[in-house]
Amino acid sequence: MGNLLKMTKDTIILGIEGTAWNLSAALVDERKIISEYEKPYLPKEGGIHPRDAAQSHASNIKEVISKTIKKAEIDLDEIKGVAFSIGPGMGPCLRTVATASRALSLLLKVPLLGVNHCVAHIEFGRWLTGAKNPLVLYVSGANSQVIAYRDKKYRIYGETLDIGVGNAIDKFSRFFGLKHPGGPKVEELAKRGKEYVRLPYVVKGMDFSFSGLVTAATSKSKENSLEDLSFSFQENAFSMLTEVTERALSYARRDELLLVGGVGANLRLREMLETICEEREVKFFVPDRRYVGDNGAMIAYTGLLMLKNGMVTPIERSSVKPNFRPDEVEIPWF
Amino acid sequence: MVLIRGAEATIYLDKNLGEVIKKRLPKRYRVKTLDDAIVEERTKTEAKIISDARRAGVPTPIILDLKDDEIKMEFIKGETLRDMVDEQMMEKAGEIVGKLHRGKIAHGDLTTSNMIYSSEDRIYLIDFGLSRYDTETEARGVDIHVLFQMLKSTYNDHEELKNSFIKGYKKNFGEDEANSVLKRVEEIERRGRYK
């Protein structure tokens, strides 16, 4: 935050997040989160349908934005920029949020800021926790990556070879008829698991894969209790993530670890990561539970950094980027 | 004397004998049943594959002794490629990995930290803890994807290093076979990305 302290007057940015199931807005300035409001899309059954989610976002976005502004008790002309998640994410959801953001930026006559969702998790996490130059484990539904900063960019050291760990947990829980989101339910069931069932454990260097684990765990549903399978599933998935994290810490020579992304709320995963951090004398950072997952404040804060560095997004170049990678973004403020 | 306290194992060096011992310590974060199985499997497979790789013409340390959780092997004097890699070395590395794949082995953790430039001007491949016998294009593709990803994250001149590697790889693995593996690498890169 060093370069921001030079500013005399606070700059307020509105941020809107809606890459997947959570639609959330926030107002942020250099010092604090001013206000937030969210309206998550919860599928009635099964998983997230991108078009249903987008429709839900479209019907709620007006309310989410106006409540965020109302809660802040500020005048509209105090907002100096409109930030939104430009990607990665589900196309229909991204487009809904982008359309609203463009309109708002024109209406308020302030710059539009297209934020990389993954970079936002990292920057927001650093801001909240004070981590300086950490190795980052980013684990959410669709994304699972091991990242660290080097020479103006966040570089990807390792990642999933197939699906994100959150999606793996969702597939597992859907098979057993658990409602979305499955993560917290699997975490609870796992606590009551007694017997460990051997399941596939796939690590390739700093990469990893989960689809074989899902297939094996669901195919053993007749011989084993759901509690034991939940326990064993979590143990394998999180041990794999912990192993690659430890390898990457050693490889990238870092003494800080930052955990971000929705799956970061899982206490068993945190416990495993704390164990390796203790052993390696690495400082472990994780944002407050409510901020590990997707939220508007992380978009607003990263938008603020971008605005300070002149990285505005002209409307004609504000098309969404469903496959946007963190290493495509220049990071001049690091 | 502890030479390296790695993520996977601790390496002890006996300079007088010119031997190292690679000992896998239990991982406290893993449940015991899983950890015991992983340690035993990896130690056994690693020792066997190091020997087989050498038979396939890949420079690797000579195995001297094997226990459940440790391997005693020859000490390779030299430095890892990590901080000194150049295009010439990467081409050589490509030749070696070509031989390895021809020898039906996938390394599983190809990085410049797992390649030692020895004092007699040879590149040794080490750390076979994640290796296995696999002749599928997929396994070979993942092997090379892991290396390319690591080059990209670590070096600004990763494109040049990658091309040098490919040159060496084709030399020993064959143009057609290498091309089908490289095509798979592109597929693998796309697969893990946001869907």
Side-chain angles (χ1 to χ4, degrees):
Chain A
M1 273 210 301
N3 54 341
L4 295 184
L5 293 174
K6 283 182 221 132
M7 298 297 301
T8 45
K9 198 172 179 302
D10 291 343
T11 313
I12 299 175
I13 302 290
L14 173 71
I16 311 165
E17 156 62 27
T19 51
W21 62 287
N22 194 17
L23 177 69
S24 160
L27 285 159
V28 162
D29 68 20
E30 286 89 342
R31 290 165 227 266
K32 61 193 177 297
I33 299 161
I34 303 166
S35 67
E36 306 166 81
Y37 192 82
E38 62 175 18
K39 198 114 199 195
Y41 153 78
L42 293 170
K44 283 186 194 73
E45 54 185 331
I48 301 170
H49 307 286
R51 311 204 74 197
D52 289 353
Q55 238 158 50
S56 159
H57 291 354
S59 45
N60 291 320
I61 198 156
K62 209 176 144 194
E63 180 196 344
V64 166
I65 292 168
S66 61
K67 288 219 164 128
T68 304
I69 296 172
K70 206 167 181 183
K71 272 169 85 179
E73 296 178 351
I74 57 158
D75 293 327
L76 280 180
D77 63 5
E78 287 181 70
I79 297 173
K80 300 291 182 249
V82 175
F84 72 104
S85 299
I86 197 166
M90 295 173 172
C93 299
L94 292 172
R95 284 192 286 277
T96 302
V97 171
T99 305
S101 305
R102 282 182 207 115
L104 209 55
S105 134
L106 288 171
L107 179 76
L108 299 174
K109 298 194 178 64
V110 295
L112 186 64
L113 304 148
V115 175
N116 178 295
H117 175 90
C118 168
V119 169
H121 270 294
I122 301 172
E123 290 305 341
F124 191 57
R126 286 174 63 220
W127 190 48
L128 293 178
T129 64
K132 287 184 184 70
N133 187 10
L135 184 86
V136 181
L137 176 63
Y138 169 36
V139 277
S140 67
N143 300 288
S144 297
Q145 293 171 327
V146 182
I147 299 165
Y149 176 88
R150 181 186 65 77
D151 189 27
K152 298 276 176 282
K153 278 178 180 173
Y154 284 112
R155 316 277 170 171
I156 301 162
Y157 285 80
E159 69 185 313
T160 180
L161 290 163
D162 41 45
I163 54 175
V165 65
N167 281 352
I169 295 170
D170 285 342
K171 280 190 180 179
F172 173 84
S173 54
R174 262 207 311 282
F175 178 88
F176 291 102
L178 306 172
K179 267 200 157 185
H180 183 88
K185 295 172 189 91
V186 173
E187 185 173 6
E188 271 315 303
L189 287 162
K191 282 184 197 153
R192 300 201 295 271
K194 287 187 185 71
E195 215 163 308
Y196 174 75
V197 184
R198 186 81 200 266
L199 295 169
Y201 184 100
V202 184
V203 165
K204 310 275 176 190
M206 288 177 266
D207 287 352
F208 39 87
S209 132
F210 292 116
S211 56
L213 174 60
V214 175
T215 311
T218 50
S219 74
K220 292 184 185 222
S221 64
K222 288 213 171 70
E223 318 89 276
N224 300 281
S225 73
L226 177 55
E227 286 81 2
D228 285 348
L229 283 177
S230 298
F231 166 63
S232 311
F233 183 92
Q234 273 202 172
E235 286 303 312
N236 271 44
F238 297 160
S239 292
M240 283 157 54
L241 289 170
T242 306
E243 180 183 338
V244 297
T245 300
E246 189 176 14
R247 188 166 293 128
L249 279 168
S250 156
Y251 179 79
R253 300 167 182 158
R254 293 303 142 102
D255 57 7
E256 295 179 330
L257 173 66
L258 173 64
L259 173 65
V260 295
V263 182
N266 188 295
L267 296 178
R268 178 62 183 133
L269 175 61
R270 291 185 183 201
E271 181 183 49
M272 287 191 193
L273 294 170
E274 272 162 15
T275 308
I276 55 162
C277 286
E278 240 169 66
E279 285 172 0
R280 304 190 69 86
E281 293 178 29
V282 166
K283 270 194 229 157
F284 182 52
F285 298 94
V286 52
D288 192 85
R289 232 179 138 96
R290 55 194 287 243
Y291 288 127
V292 283
D294 298 351
N295 64 83
M298 69 184 205
I299 303 302
Y301 174 70
T302 310
L304 176 62
L305 293 174
M306 290 173 67
L307 182 67
K308 301 274 172 187
N309 287 275
M311 296 164 71
V312 300
T313 310
I315 295 218
E316 64 275 15
R317 275 193 280 142
S318 64
S319 302
V320 301
K321 302 175 179 177
N323 300 308
F324 203 10
R325 311 257 302 161
D327 57 4
E328 293 172 44
V329 186
E330 286 268 342
I331 309 288
W333 55 74
F334 194 91
Chain B
M1 170 196 143
V2 173
L3 186 64
I4 301 163
R5 209 177 294 276
E8 168 81 9
T10 301
I11 316 281
Y12 302 88
L13 168 67
D14 187 325
K15 252 196 172 143
N16 296 328
L17 293 172
E19 295 171 0
V20 293
I21 290 176
K22 175 173 184 172
K23 190 175 175 64
R24 287 190 164 80
L25 302 167
K27 292 289 177 195
R28 283 199 297 133
Y29 62 84
R30 277 196 294 241
V31 288
K32 197 170 179 309
T33 329
L34 174 61
D35 192 56
D36 287 350
I38 288 175
V39 166
E40 204 188 313
E41 282 167 19
R42 287 190 184 169
T43 307
K44 243 189 231 158
T45 316
E46 175 166 27
K48 188 166 183 330
I49 287 189
I50 286 179
S51 304
D52 285 350
R54 188 155 10 80
R55 251 169 254 135
V58 177
T60 60
I62 295 164
I63 302 294
L64 303 166
D65 198 14
L66 172 67
K67 289 182 188 157
D68 275 350
D69 57 357
E70 63 177 59
I71 304 171
K72 189 193 275 183
M73 57 191 136
E74 171 196 10
F75 172 57
I76 307 297
K77 235 192 217 161
E79 248 184 274
T80 72
L81 260 55
R82 162 80 186 240
D83 294 320
M84 59 181 222
V85 69
D86 60 21
E87 289 173 40
Q88 210 183 339
M89 284 180 199
M90 221 46 224
E91 186 178 337
K92 192 87 197 144
E95 289 173 23
I96 287 163
V97 175
K99 275 189 193 167
L100 189 74
H101 284 182
R102 201 164 263 297
K104 302 181 175 159
I105 297 164
H107 184 276
D109 188 14
L110 286 176
T111 67
T112 47
S113 297
N114 288 336
M115 298 169 186
I116 296 180
Y117 182 67
S118 79
S119 37
E120 72 261 33
D121 194 32
R122 280 167 94 188
I123 292 174
Y124 278 78
L125 213 49
I126 56 161
D127 206 344
F128 287 73
L130 300 176
S131 302
R132 54 186 189 145
Y133 298 94
D134 201 326
T135 54
E136 299 288 328
T137 306
E138 178 69 16
R140 291 166 172 164
V142 169
D143 230 14
I144 293 193
H145 161 71
V146 164
L147 177 73
F148 286 176
Q149 176 171 261
M150 173 265 154
L151 291 176
K152 192 175 176 196
S153 70
T154 310
Y155 305 106
N156 288 345
D157 57 343
H158 58 89
E159 279 301 330
E160 290 83 353
L161 294 174
K162 185 173 149 175
N163 291 334
S164 306
F165 178 88
I166 290 173
K167 203 167 139 197
Y169 184 64
K170 282 182 175 170
K171 210 185 284 175
N172 271 352
F173 196 55
E175 183 88 22
D176 290 351
E177 280 137 310
N179 280 335
S180 74
V181 172
L182 293 167
K183 214 174 127 211
R184 184 62 66 96
V185 173
E186 285 170 19
E187 245 175 82
I188 292 164
E189 274 165 13
R190 282 196 298 271
R191 213 184 288 158
R193 298 186 176 192
Y194 204 106
K195 284 173 274 273

